[in-house]
Coordinates of all heavy atoms in Angstrom, one line a residue:
Q1 N -1.7 2.4 -43.7 CA -0.4 1.7 -43.3 C 0.7 2.7 -43.4 O 1.0 3.3 -44.5 CB -0.2 0.5 -44.2 CG -1.4 -0.5 -44.3 CD -1.6 -1.1 -42.9 OE1 -0.8 -1.9 -42.4 NE2 -2.8 -0.8 -42.3
I2 N 1.4 3.0 -42.3 CA 2.4 4.1 -42.2 C 3.8 3.5 -42.1 O 4.1 2.6 -41.3 CB 2.0 5.0 -41.0 CG1 0.6 5.6 -41.2 CG2 3.0 6.1 -40.8 CD1 0.1 6.3 -40.0
G3 N 4.7 4.2 -42.7 CA 6.1 4.0 -42.5 C 6.8 5.3 -42.0 O 6.5 6.4 -42.5
I4 N 7.5 5.1 -40.9 CA 8.2 6.3 -40.2 C 9.6 6.4 -40.7 O 10.4 5.4 -40.6 CB 8.1 6.1 -38.7 CG1 6.7 6.0 -38.2 CG2 8.9 7.2 -38.0 CD1 5.9 7.2 -38.3
V5 N 10.1 7.5 -41.1 CA 11.5 7.8 -41.3 C 12.0 8.8 -40.3 O 11.6 10.0 -40.4 CB 11.7 8.3 -42.8 CG1 13.2 8.5 -43.0 CG2 11.2 7.3 -43.8
G6 N 12.8 8.4 -39.4 CA 13.3 9.2 -38.3 C 12.6 8.9 -37.0 O 11.4 9.2 -36.8
C7 N 13.2 8.2 -36.1 CA 12.6 7.7 -34.9 C 13.2 8.4 -33.7 O 13.4 7.8 -32.6 CB 12.8 6.2 -34.8 SG 12.1 5.2 -36.2
G8 N 13.5 9.7 -33.8 CA 14.0 10.4 -32.7 C 13.0 11.1 -31.9 O 11.8 10.6 -31.7
G9 N 13.3 12.3 -31.3 CA 12.4 12.9 -30.3 C 11.0 13.3 -30.8 O 10.1 12.9 -30.1
I10 N 10.9 13.9 -32.0 CA 9.6 14.4 -32.4 C 8.7 13.2 -32.8 O 7.5 13.2 -32.6 CB 9.7 15.4 -33.6 CG1 8.4 16.1 -33.7 CG2 10.1 14.7 -34.9 CD1 8.1 17.1 -32.6
A11 N 9.3 12.1 -33.2 CA 8.6 10.9 -33.5 C 8.0 10.3 -32.3 O 6.8 9.9 -32.2 CB 9.4 9.9 -34.3
N12 N 8.9 10.2 -31.2 CA 8.5 9.5 -30.0 C 7.6 10.4 -29.1 O 6.7 9.9 -28.4 CB 9.7 9.1 -29.2 CG 10.3 7.9 -29.7 OD1 9.9 6.8 -29.4 ND2 11.4 8.0 -30.6
Q13 N 7.7 11.7 -29.2 CA 7.0 12.6 -28.3 C 5.7 13.1 -28.9 O 4.8 13.4 -28.2 CB 7.9 13.8 -28.0 CG 9.1 13.6 -27.2 CD 8.8 13.1 -25.8 OE1 7.8 13.6 -25.2 NE2 9.6 12.3 -25.2
K14 N 5.6 13.1 -30.2 CA 4.4 13.6 -30.9 C 3.7 12.6 -31.8 O 2.6 12.2 -31.6 CB 4.7 14.9 -31.7 CG 3.6 15.4 -32.5 CD 4.0 16.5 -33.4 CE 3.0 16.8 -34.5 NZ 3.5 17.9 -35.5
H15 N 4.4 12.2 -32.8 CA 3.7 11.5 -33.9 C 3.3 10.0 -33.5 O 2.2 9.6 -33.8 CB 4.6 11.4 -35.1 CG 4.8 12.8 -35.8 ND1 3.9 13.3 -36.7 CD2 5.7 13.7 -35.6 CE1 4.2 14.5 -37.1 NE2 5.4 14.8 -36.4
M16 N 4.2 9.2 -33.0 CA 3.9 7.9 -32.7 C 2.8 7.7 -31.6 O 1.9 6.9 -31.7 CB 5.2 7.0 -32.5 CG 6.0 6.9 -33.8 SD 7.4 5.8 -33.7 CE 8.5 6.6 -32.5
P17 N 2.9 8.5 -30.5 CA 1.8 8.4 -29.6 C 0.5 8.8 -30.2 O -0.6 8.3 -29.8 CB 2.3 9.4 -28.5 CG 3.8 9.4 -28.6 CD 4.0 9.3 -30.0
A18 N 0.5 9.8 -31.1 CA -0.8 10.2 -31.7 C -1.3 9.1 -32.6 O -2.5 8.9 -32.6 CB -0.5 11.5 -32.6
M19 N -0.5 8.4 -33.3 CA -0.9 7.3 -34.1 C -1.5 6.2 -33.2 O -2.5 5.5 -33.6 CB 0.2 6.8 -35.0 CG 0.6 7.8 -36.1 SD 2.1 7.2 -36.9 CE 2.9 8.7 -37.3
K20 N -0.8 6.0 -32.1 CA -1.3 4.9 -31.2 C -2.7 5.3 -30.7 O -3.6 4.4 -30.5 CB -0.3 4.8 -30.0 CG -0.7 3.7 -29.0 CD 0.4 3.5 -28.0 CE 0.1 2.3 -27.1 NZ 1.2 2.2 -26.1
A21 N -2.9 6.6 -30.4 CA -4.2 7.1 -29.9 C -5.3 6.9 -31.0 O -6.5 6.9 -30.7 CB -4.1 8.5 -29.5
N22 N -4.8 6.9 -32.3 CA -5.8 6.8 -33.4 C -5.6 5.4 -34.1 O -5.7 5.3 -35.3 CB -5.5 7.9 -34.5 CG -5.9 9.3 -34.0 OD1 -6.9 9.4 -33.3 ND2 -5.0 10.3 -34.2
A23 N -5.4 4.4 -33.3 CA -5.1 3.0 -33.8 C -6.3 2.5 -34.6 O -6.2 1.5 -35.3 CB -4.8 2.1 -32.6
D24 N -7.5 3.1 -34.4 CA -8.6 2.6 -35.2 C -8.5 3.0 -36.7 O -9.2 2.4 -37.5 CB -9.9 3.1 -34.6 CG -10.0 4.7 -34.6 OD1 -9.0 5.3 -34.2 OD2 -11.0 5.2 -35.0
L25 N -7.6 4.0 -37.0 CA -7.5 4.4 -38.3 C -6.1 4.1 -39.0 O -6.0 4.2 -40.2 CB -7.6 6.0 -38.4 CG -8.9 6.6 -37.9 CD1 -8.8 8.1 -38.1 CD2 -10.1 6.0 -38.7

């Protein structure tokens, strides 16, 4: 269970799409 601090460019371009791709984890 993840909490994100900072929802700008790097979150939207890298981290959150990667978590979506790993939604099984």
Side-chain angles (χ1 to χ4, degrees):
Q1 306 298 289
I2 299 173
I4 301 290
V5 181
C7 300
I10 198 68
N12 283 278
Q13 295 291 327
K14 172 189 166 185
H15 291 275
M16 294 189 295
M19 293 174 213
K20 186 174 183 179
N22 291 319
D24 59 315
L25 298 182

